[in-house]
Amino acid sequence: MSAEQRVAVLQEPERITVETRPVPEPGPGDVQVAVRAVSVCGSDVHYYDHGRIGGFVMHGPLVLGHETSGVVSAVGEGVEAPAVGTRVAVEPQRNCGRCEQCAQGRYHLCPWISFFATPPVDGSFAQYVTVPAGRAHPVPDALSDDAAAMIEPLAVAVHAAGKADIGPGTRVFVSGGGPVGLLCLQVARARGAARVTLSDPVAKRREVALAFGADAVVDPGGDVEIEPVDVVLECTGVQAAVDLAIAATAPAATVVLVGTGAQVTLPLDVVQGRELVVKGTFRYAHVYPAAIAMAASGAVRLDAMVTSHHDLDGAVDALLAARRDPDAIKAVVRPG
Ligand SMILES: [Zn+2]
Ligand SMILES: [Zn+2]
């Protein structure tokens, strides 16, 4: 008889049950990870509420959670590293390795990508998961289990900041003060940005942004005047925020679209008149080691963003924490 584990399963929108399932065995090239911490993402909440995100639709039960840390608990055939017992941050994607995008190194754009907690692929609100060995990134002792889980959203910010080529002296505008916005702010700082301004309609979030190193914060609903910037990291996907972000650009600025949204319009006259460079981002590739190094050095503070802990039975409380508590930033589930 195979070993069993507990898993929190989203059966349908707004209904999660904890059930017992077999522990997944690592196949060739994979490692099995005993999950220590899973931080909750806005996308998990969206699936909980609606059962879908755009074209990704739940057609059956789904295990949520993709921001994951743990300890390697078994390795599959042919795996030399990481060894059993290694603490790791889990990069929750598996690509085909054979297509054109994979060959070009853009494995996150592989048409056959599978990603935790994206239907029909289960996520990590579980005691054990399996991933390709190369996607289990060792973390130093300096990183807590919570911080190691949050390497995932940090990877989004590191990828976005890389697209914008932020460096010493860059003037940056971060649109949106949610977790990804706060991480973009911190990464911009860590890369030497001269001035980082963050906008959010919620006063509490602006306050938090200042605590995480923003030079200035603005209320997009107020009378806004923003000094022109070289880089915009747009983390909302909301039209009004995009409008403000575009307005904040200096000529030849780069606008990186991080926030997801169905459809927004861009003012062509401004994009053309200023020769703006508009870039899309989708998740990340190749950035986990850099993200881990940044967090381990203290340049980016992750533990300070964690505002509550929950066990698997409290998965719903974790998902709804941000909605119930205005002070909440990141909830963490510890399946152990
Ligand atoms: Zn996420
Ligand atoms: Zn591929």
Side-chain angles (χ1 to χ4, degrees), residues 91-93 107-108 115 152 155-156 159 282-285 287-288:
E91 181 176 349
Q93 49 188 348
Y107 61 86
H108 60 312
F115 196 92
E152 201 277 340
V156 171
H159 181 64
F282 185 66
R283 296 170 184 158
Y284 43 74
V287 296
Y288 260 61

Side-chain angles (χ1 to χ4, degrees), residues 186-204:
Q186 295 194 67
V187 171
R189 273 266 94 95
R191 291 178 65 125
R195 183 178 172 78
V196 185
T197 304
L198 183 143
S199 78
D200 198 285
V202 180
K204 175 71 197 180

Side-chain angles (χ1 to χ4, degrees), residues 171-262:
R171 298 165 297 177
V172 178
F173 180 74
V174 177
S175 167
V180 170
L182 291 177
L183 290 167
C184 282
L185 153 68
Q186 295 194 67
V187 171
R189 273 266 94 95
R191 291 178 65 125
R195 183 178 172 78
V196 185
T197 304
L198 183 143
S199 78
D200 198 285
V202 180
K204 175 71 197 180
R205 285 183 163 190
R206 295 195 297 272
E207 199 181 294
V208 169
L210 288 170
F212 277 98
D215 296 294
V217 290
V218 296
D219 175 0
D223 246 344
V224 186
E225 248 186 77
I226 301 165
E227 282 178 50
V229 298
D230 308 300
V231 167
V232 169
L233 301 172
E234 206 299 304
C235 303
T236 72
V238 172
Q239 183 72 57
V242 171
D243 290 344
L244 179 62
I246 296 283
T249 53
T254 298
V255 179
V256 181
L257 302 175
V258 187
T260 56

Side-chain angles (χ1 to χ4, degrees), residues 251-296:
T254 298
V255 179
V256 181
L257 302 175
V258 187
T260 56
Q263 201 155 358
V264 297
T265 60
L266 297 178
L268 261 196
D269 56 338
V270 180
V271 172
Q272 293 179 311
R274 295 183 192 169
E275 287 202 341
L276 301 182
V277 179
V278 180
K279 295 187 174 186
T281 53
F282 185 66
R283 296 170 184 158
Y284 43 74
H286 306 294
V287 296
Y288 260 61
I292 289 167
M294 249 183 211

Side-chain angles (χ1 to χ4, degrees), residues 95-103 107 110-113:
N95 57 301
C96 85
R98 289 180 298 276
C99 72
E100 185 189 335
Q101 294 305 319
C102 286
Y107 61 86
C110 170
W112 291 280
I113 196 89

Side-chain angles (χ1 to χ4, degrees), residues 116-188:
F116 277 23
T118 303
V121 180
D122 282 333
S124 53
F125 279 180
Q127 292 179 297
Y128 294 90
V129 294
T130 56
V131 288
R135 301 279 178 260
H137 301 271
V139 295
D141 294 342
L143 284 194
S144 69
D145 292 335
D146 292 352
M150 286 183 57
I151 294 299
E152 201 277 340
L154 177 58
V156 171
V158 171
H159 181 64
K163 285 250 177 196
D165 208 18
I166 293 172
T170 309
R171 298 165 297 177
V172 178
F173 180 74
V174 177
S175 167
V180 170
L182 291 177
L183 290 167
C184 282
L185 153 68
Q186 295 194 67
V187 171

Side-chain angles (χ1 to χ4, degrees), residues 5-6 47 50 54 66 68 72 79 93 121 127 144 151 185 192 219 279-280 327:
Q5 63 161 339
R6 299 181 77 232
Y47 281 117
H50 307 292
H66 60 271
T68 318
V72 175
V79 173
Q93 49 188 348
V121 180
Q127 292 179 297
S144 69
I151 294 299
L185 153 68
D219 175 0
K279 295 187 174 186
D327 291 341

